[in-house]
């Protein structure tokens, strides 16, 4: 594995959008699937919609190199030239997202493997072991060729490395991965004795005499060693990143002025890659997000993904590299977007920090596995609602050009920690039904409902700027990170820690003396035993903190509050009746709360409302339920843009309570004088005076 680039050695590059006017608008463009007449029509349509940036050549390896060493660049040369003459900027891919059939036939050893030994063959996509040296050589050769061919092409704005690295194969158990895992472990631990200590191998006769004996956590008769599993998660995220780094550095050598990115999947469903550790290596963070048609609250999941992406980007503006104009093809039932939904989705991403709105894909394919996935140009052609909506969106993005480069501000932080995601869901735990992201998203949703804009930050984040800090199920925690959380409370913040947090150190060793280990003193709570509930079992929780009476399920704990810790809600029935469910303790100038159970939505909502009030982070422009309000600020703080997105079927108005919204609405051009009307399903963006 390669060493990470230090900031000093990062080359200076141009901004990806240096030549764009306003926000980016476009998508994945796959002209190799179409004949000339269609490609020519594409240009006309792109002009009509106002497209200004396209991702090209993502899945083009087999088109460029149909047989080993035989290269055909005609279509790509033509595409680059035509897009340039149309004034469209290109995010050019390395074409490596899927190896061509001849490569996997010649080198079947590059195919990835599952934990049970199943080989993932060619015929779909992404069938390569990310660590295999033979694959790496071929991928680097392709990257070099593309970079050398288009290094001076005037359309080139950004490099797009591979595609959604790790999407289908987040964990590869091949021999190549095993060899790399051993090297990674030798690097991490230095000696096999240190590895034995960290993995606790005195247990079950697991002691290793040499690194050569170590394997990935392959299918085994029973639970694999938990630290081995956690380290394999860490290693796999690093191995995927390492692949990106190798391709990126090849590009940087050839075109030091061209920025490099890869499209992440920073969502509640993407457990494989710890993107907080990836982001420093991207010149601009790019993200893909798809809503789930079956989820009635999919706009909240979208907001979560957008905020996570902004967190990963460290607050900088980012690129929405892919979403869909309407239905996708990979969910069980692929319902199209309802009228107005695509525009709302797009501008929600912009509201939360994206400087571009891009789609998969430009033109809907007529063959292949994605032919029933919507696109900017649908099968139905121009005479369609999808196309009219695309043109409308293009117009809206032009009207919002001045927002580009501005930032979202927040005083509430929700910690998202990939090692805790991996660690808390390991097998051999108190409950197999604990889902890390359920808990994170439940808190996110509660804050979203209150109109609080939340930053999603890593466990090691600087917490100085926050008045409310929430740590849901932060199972793995280092001493340093725990100390930073305690310092935030001392300094005046309201800190909230929820169940199964602070349990282990980074080696997955339990912190002894009572749970929640690392946070026990801060919270003034000591738990003797976890008390998970059976499927369908609930307990009642009473107390002012949960709005009087709430229901909890999944998890409870046999805890005791220390002197000076207030029990603000307790279990009213069940085996732990009378024991603390929610506690609060004054710490320095702040407060530390513990929530030992999974509260229902009403209980969590009531609790969140009190926390938001206590921390003083309530929304500055209150809005009716279902109307989302977010603000972006110019870097000097002199101007702000207020985005109001009405997700409901009823007309709404902001400012009626006396908060007053005045300025210019950019989508209609109307002046706003105190009250902002936001019709049902509509979006309004006000440059605030
Ligand atoms: C993404 C992928 C695209 C396309 C899209 C469909 O995961 O990057 O190539 O497959 O999903 O929703």
């Amino acid at each position: 594995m390669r060493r990470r680039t230090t900031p000093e050695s990062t080359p200076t590059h141009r901004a990806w959008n240096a030549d764009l006017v306003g926000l980016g608008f476009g998508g994945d463009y796959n002209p190799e699937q179409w004949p000339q007449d269609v490609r020519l029509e594409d240009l006309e349509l792109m002009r009509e919609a106002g497209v200004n940036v396209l991702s090209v050549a993502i899945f083009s390896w087999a088109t460029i190199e149909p047989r080993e060493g035989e290269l055909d660049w005609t279509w790509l040369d033509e595409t680059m030239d035509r897009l340039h003459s149309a004034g469209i900027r290109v995010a050019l891919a390395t074409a490596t997202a899927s190896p061509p059939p001849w490569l996997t036939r010649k080198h079947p050893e590059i195919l990835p493997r599952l934990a049970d030994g199943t080989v993932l063959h060619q015929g779909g996509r992404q069938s390569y072991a990310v660590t295999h040296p033979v694959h790496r050589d071929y991928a680097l050769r392709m990257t070099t060729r593309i970079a050398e061919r288009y290094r001076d092409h005037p359309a080139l704005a950004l490099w797009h490395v591979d595609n959604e690295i790790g999407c289908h194969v987040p964990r590869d158990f091949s021999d190549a991965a095993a060899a790399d895992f051993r090297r990674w472990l030798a690097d991490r631990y230095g000696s096999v004795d240190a590895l034995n200590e960290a993995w606790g191998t005195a247990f079950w006769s697991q002691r290793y005499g040499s690194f050569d004996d170590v394997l990935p956590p392959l299918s085994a008769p029973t639970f694999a060693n938990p630290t081995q599993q956690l380290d394999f998660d860490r290693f796999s995220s690093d191995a995927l990143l390492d692949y990106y780094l190798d391709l990126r550095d090849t590009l940087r050598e050839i075109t030091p002025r061209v920025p490099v990115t890869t499209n992440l999947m920073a969502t509640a469903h993407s457990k494989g890659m710890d993107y907080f550790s990836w982001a420093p290596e991207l010149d601009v963070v790019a993200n893909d997000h798809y809503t789930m048609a079956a989820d009635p609250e999919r706009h909240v999941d979208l907001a979560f993904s957008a905020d996570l992406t902004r967190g990963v980007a460290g607050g900088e503006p980012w690129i929405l590299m892919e979403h869909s104009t309407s239905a996708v093809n990979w969910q069980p039932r692929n319902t199209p977007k309802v009228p107005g939904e695509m525009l709302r989705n797009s501008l929600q991403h912009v509201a939360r920090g994206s400087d571009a709105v891009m789609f998969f894909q430009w033109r809907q394919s007529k063959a292949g596995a994605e032919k029933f996935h919507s696109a900017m140009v649908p099968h139905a052609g121009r005479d369609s609602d999808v196309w009219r909506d695309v043109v409308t969106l293009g117009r809206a993005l032009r009207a919002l050009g001045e927002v580009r480069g501005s930032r979202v501000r927040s005083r509430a932080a929700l910690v998202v920690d990939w090692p805790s995601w991996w660690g808390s869901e390991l097998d051999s735990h108190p409950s197999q039904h604990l889902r890390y992201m359920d808990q994170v998203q439940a808190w996110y949703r509660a804050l979203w409902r209150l109109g609080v804009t939340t930053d999603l930050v890593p466990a090691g984040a600087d917490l100085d700027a926050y008045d409310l800090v929430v740590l849901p199920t932060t199972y793995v925690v280092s001493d340093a990170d725990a100390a930073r959380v305690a310092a935030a409370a001392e300094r005046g913040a309201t800190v909230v820690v929820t169940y199964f947090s602070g349990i282990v150190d980074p080696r997955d060793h339990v912190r002894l003396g009572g749970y929640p280990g690392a946070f026990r003193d801060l919270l003034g709570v000591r738990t003797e035993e976890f008390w998970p509930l059976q499927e369908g079992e609930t307990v009642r929780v009473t107390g002012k903190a949960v709005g009087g009476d709430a229901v909890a399920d999944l998890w409870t704990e046999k805890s005791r509050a220390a002197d000076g810790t207030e029990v603000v809600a307790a279990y009213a029935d069940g085996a732990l009746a009378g024991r603390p469910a929610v506690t609060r303790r004054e710490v320095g100038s702040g407060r530390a709360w513990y929530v030992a159970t999974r509260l229902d939505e009403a209980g969590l909502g009531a609790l969140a409302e009190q926390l938001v009030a206590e921390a003083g982070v309530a929304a500055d422009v209150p809005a009716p339920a279902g109307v989302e309000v977010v603000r972006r600020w110019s870097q000097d703080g002199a101007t702000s843009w207020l985005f109001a997105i009405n997700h409901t079927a009823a007309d709404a108005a902001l400012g009626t309570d006396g908060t007053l919204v005045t300025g210019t609405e950019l989508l209609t051009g109307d002046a706003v004088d105190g009250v902002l009307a936001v019709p049902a399903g509509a979006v309004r963006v006000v440059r605030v005076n």
Side-chain angles (χ1 to χ4, degrees):
M1 254 189 230
R2 329 187 73 218
R3 291 182 60 80
R4 303 284 168 83
T5 313
T6 56
E8 299 78 62
S9 64
T10 304
T12 46
H13 54 76
R14 306 185 69 213
W16 74 273
N17 51 4
D19 301 316
L20 288 189
V21 180
L23 301 170
F25 178 44
D28 287 10
Y29 184 38
N30 300 303
E32 66 270 40
Q33 296 174 13
W34 298 97
Q36 273 302 342
D37 55 326
V38 176
R39 296 184 199 179
L40 290 171
E41 191 203 38
D42 283 341
L43 294 172
E44 270 169 51
L45 294 178
M46 286 169 187
R47 208 165 290 132
E48 183 180 335
V51 162
N52 58 16
V53 57
L54 293 166
S55 299
V56 178
I58 296 175
F59 289 98
S60 306
W61 193 342
T63 305
I64 295 170
E65 192 179 16
R67 280 164 291 276
E68 184 167 9
E70 224 176 83
L71 299 165
D72 175 10
W73 299 104
T74 20
W75 69 275
L76 190 50
D77 288 352
E78 173 202 282
T79 303
M80 293 293 282
D81 293 348
R82 280 184 182 162
L83 294 180
H84 179 60
S85 12
I88 295 171
R89 312 290 295 143
V90 174
L92 186 58
T94 51
T96 50
S98 212
W102 57 260
L103 177 52
T104 46
R105 187 167 75 99
K106 183 173 174 192
H107 290 290
E109 70 277 17
I110 71 168
L111 295 170
R113 251 189 272 153
L114 301 180
D116 66 359
T118 304
V119 174
L120 302 176
H121 291 279
Q122 170 262 111
R125 65 177 180 183
Q126 217 174 62
S127 46
Y128 61 85
V130 80
T131 55
H132 203 288
V134 170
H135 175 264
R136 186 70 59 94
D137 282 351
Y138 276 96
L140 289 174
R141 196 175 314 158
M142 181 44 94
T143 301
T144 305
R145 283 172 177 154
I146 292 215
E148 283 177 345
R149 188 161 189 96
Y150 299 104
R151 60 192 299 165
D152 298 318
H153 200 287
L156 175 64
L158 176 67
W159 288 114
H160 178 300
V161 172
D162 210 85
N163 190 64
E164 292 190 344
I165 299 171
C167 166
H168 302 297
V169 193
R171 300 289 175 265
D172 166 38
F173 295 80
S174 66
D175 293 343
D180 230 24
F181 183 41
R182 285 188 281 271
R183 280 191 288 273
W184 183 92
L185 290 168
D187 209 39
R188 182 175 176 90
Y189 293 112
S191 73
V192 79
D193 285 347
L195 174 133
N196 280 311
E197 165 60 24
W199 287 16
T201 57
F203 185 77
W204 278 359
S205 182
Q206 290 174 346
R207 189 173 182 82
Y208 293 98
S210 146
F211 280 110
D212 295 340
D213 296 334
V214 181
L215 294 172
L218 298 170
S219 299
T222 184
F223 309 123
N225 179 299
T227 313
Q228 176 192 19
Q229 295 190 59
L230 182 58
D231 273 349
F232 192 65
D233 285 327
R234 292 183 171 119
F235 156 77
S236 298
S237 176
D238 283 359
L240 293 158
L241 173 61
D242 182 70
Y243 171 63
Y244 165 80
L245 289 177
D246 233 357
L247 271 61
R248 180 203 66 182
D249 290 352
T250 302
L251 295 167
R252 275 189 177 171
E253 256 165 51
I254 301 168
T255 55
R257 300 260 298 142
V258 180
V260 187
T261 193
T262 184
N263 46 343
L264 308 180
M265 299 161 285
T267 69
H269 321 285
S270 213
K271 187 178 172 184
M273 287 68 64
D274 178 354
Y275 287 137
F276 284 117
S277 72
W278 287 41
E281 308 295 343
L282 274 53
D283 292 325
V284 54
V285 167
N287 199 51
D288 298 349
H289 179 264
Y290 291 90
T291 52
M292 300 300 286
D295 177 6
E297 296 230 291
R298 51 192 179 272
H299 53 281
V300 186
D301 178 71
L302 184 157
F304 176 83
S305 171
D307 284 352
L308 182 57
T309 308
R310 188 179 71 253
V312 163
E316 302 278 312
W318 48 277
I319 299 176
L320 174 66
M321 193 64 103
E322 288 182 22
H323 71 149
S324 70
T325 55
S326 192
V328 300
N329 65 312
W330 45 263
Q331 293 170 17
R333 296 171 191 223
N334 298 296
T335 310
K337 292 190 177 176
V338 300
E341 187 173 355
M342 189 270 274
L343 186 82
R344 288 196 297 280
N345 290 172
S346 299
L347 299 189
Q348 243 188 304
H349 284 289
V350 174
R352 294 181 181 274
S354 180
D355 270 358
V357 175
M358 299 175 69
F359 293 91
F360 174 83
Q361 60 179 328
W362 163 252
R363 185 182 281 274
Q364 187 168 8
S365 303
K366 69 174 183 180
E370 291 183 322
K371 58 182 174 296
F372 295 119
H373 190 296
S374 63
M376 298 170 80
V377 184
H379 286 162
R382 274 182 88 233
D383 185 9
S384 60
D385 288 341
V386 166
W387 177 252
R388 284 182 280 274
D389 288 348
V390 163
V391 174
T392 305
L393 173 63
R395 206 174 304 128
L397 293 174
R398 284 194 293 284
L400 296 181
E402 63 186 66
V403 164
R404 164 176 156 180
S406 60
R407 309 284 199 276
V408 175
R409 291 183 187 170
S410 161
R411 288 188 298 120
L414 182 62
V415 169
V416 175
D417 181 47
W418 261 272
S420 288
W421 192 352
W422 298 327
S424 64
E425 293 183 0
L426 284 171
D427 47 25
S428 70
H429 272 202
S431 172
Q432 279 309 297
H433 291 166
L434 179 149
R435 286 286 159 270
Y436 173 79
M437 269 297 168
D438 284 357
Q439 186 56 193
V440 173
Q441 285 206 296
W443 278 88
Y444 181 85
R445 246 191 325 270
L447 294 170
W448 186 92
R449 291 217 170 91
L450 295 167
V452 176
T453 302
T454 304
D455 280 353
L456 301 180
V457 302
D462 179 352
L463 299 172
D464 281 357
Y466 299 108
D467 295 320
L468 176 65
V469 178
V470 184
L471 290 100
T473 309
T474 309
Y475 166 78
V476 183
V477 73
S478 68
D479 294 347
D481 291 349
R484 212 170 291 117
V485 172
E490 283 286 342
R491 188 263 292 144
T494 289
V495 168
V496 188
V497 176
T498 86
Y499 60 87
F500 213 39
S501 286
I503 305 304
V504 298
D505 67 14
R507 300 166 307 165
D508 197 37
H509 290 200
V510 171
R511 293 172 176 279
L512 302 179
Y515 317 120
F519 300 117
R520 194 172 58 226
D521 293 343
L522 168 69
L523 302 167
V525 173
R526 187 162 168 277
T527 295
E528 280 174 48
E529 284 183 289
F530 303 122
W531 213 282
L533 302 181
Q534 291 302 319
E535 191 124 41
E537 194 186 354
T538 57
V539 288
R540 274 179 52 235
V541 175
T542 54
K544 60 178 190 238
V546 296
D549 220 342
V551 177
D553 69 353
L554 185 77
W555 192 276
T556 57
E557 297 183 1
K558 187 186 199 181
S559 326
R560 200 179 292 282
D563 286 348
T565 301
E566 195 188 344
V567 177
V568 287
Y571 302 111
D573 54 17
L576 302 179
R579 297 252 179 194
V582 183
T583 62
R584 179 182 183 279
R585 186 170 166 258
E586 307 267 344
V587 182
S589 324
R591 285 113 341 223
W593 295 66
Y594 187 50
V595 185
T597 186
R598 183 167 84 168
L599 294 169
D600 63 355
E601 207 178 286
L604 183 55
L607 176 59
E609 205 173 327
Q610 292 167 60
L611 293 165
V612 163
E614 180 184 280
V617 297
D620 54 356
V621 179
V627 179
E628 179 173 348
V629 176
V630 192
R631 223 187 255 262
R632 284 182 70 158
W633 293 84
S634 60
Q635 265 177 288
D636 62 6
T639 310
S640 76
W641 294 268
L642 187 103
F643 287 72
I645 303 151
N646 188 345
H647 298 285
T648 76
D651 294 346
L654 302 184
T656 46
D657 58 345
T659 38
L660 299 187
V661 181
T662 53
T664 306
E665 203 291 319
L666 299 178
L667 300 177
T668 56
D670 294 345
V672 182
D673 192 14
V675 172
L676 173 67
V678 193
V683 183
R684 292 291 178 260
V685 185
V686 180
R687 185 203 307 121
V688 177
N689 286 344

